[in-house]
Amino acid sequence: MANVKLVFCGDSQTENTHKEMQMYINQFSKLYISITDVDVDSYDNFQYTCLDKQTAIKFSKELRKQIALMD
């Protein structure tokens, strides 16, 4: 398996901060997803979840459905 970590940057709420989402498979074969408010000086408001394969598949299907509803 490739040693890859995906990082997605969200819209900036102010000049000094933005949101950052990371996803990778952790050492327990779970999909690790973290969302962090990134400040210029420090990382604040860090949240994460881990999903097993079955839950990650259901999540991806729902995400695609919601994206299809966007216009």
Side-chain angles (χ1 to χ4, degrees), residues 54-71:
Q54 183 179 3
T55 306
I57 290 169
K58 183 152 180 78
F59 176 76
S60 70
K61 288 179 181 180
E62 182 62 28
L63 182 59
R64 279 187 234 130
K65 186 179 3 172
Q66 294 300 319
I67 290 170
L69 295 174
M70 294 171 71
D71 219 346

Side-chain angles (χ1 to χ4, degrees), residues 5-36:
K5 184 184 289 187
L6 295 174
V7 178
F8 300 90
C9 295
D11 291 337
S12 176
Q13 294 178 358
T14 68
E15 290 182 10
N16 298 332
T17 187
H18 68 277
K19 294 202 183 290
E20 184 176 287
M21 184 171 70
Q22 297 184 28
M23 295 190 318
Y24 58 90
I25 304 302
N26 68 12
Q27 69 269 24
F28 304 110
S29 296
K30 304 280 184 174
L31 177 63
Y32 177 90
I33 303 171
S34 69
I35 299 175
T36 308

